[in-house]
Amino acid sequence: MKGITWRCLATLTTYLIAWLWTGETELAGKIAAVEFFLKFFIYYMHERFWLWLPQKSANWKAKFSKIKA
């Protein structure tokens, strides 16, 4: 619930900034909508990377320890 409310607050902030910058509510809405879904995708990829990294790091360490020996 905390993540969802944060995402909504951040999108509302983006909408307000875009509206103040452009003066157009429709364009601000489009920008906010794109930002909402794009940030979900970016967050998903960020989390996947941090899940992948320790596994890959362990593989690299194992590989390099064999080379040094």
Side-chain angles (χ1 to χ4, degrees):
M1 192 55 134
K2 181 181 174 185
I4 292 170
T5 57
W6 170 251
R7 186 73 256 141
C8 291
L9 182 60
T11 299
L12 177 61
T13 303
T14 298
Y15 173 82
L16 290 173
I17 292 169
W19 175 54
L20 291 171
W21 191 283
T22 66
E24 300 179 30
T25 56
E26 186 176 343
L27 179 58
K30 289 177 181 178
I31 291 169
V34 168
E35 181 263 356
F36 183 83
F37 293 106
L38 183 62
K39 294 272 178 83
F40 265 123
F41 175 73
I42 291 169
Y43 179 77
Y44 174 77
M45 296 307 294
H46 178 262
E47 289 297 314
R48 296 287 299 180
F49 173 76
W50 283 104
L51 286 173
W52 169 84
L53 188 60
Q55 296 169 353
K56 197 52 115 171
S57 178
N59 291 344
W60 290 333
K61 286 179 185 176
K63 189 181 287 188
F64 287 117
S65 67
K66 289 177 186 176
I67 293 172
K68 288 180 182 179

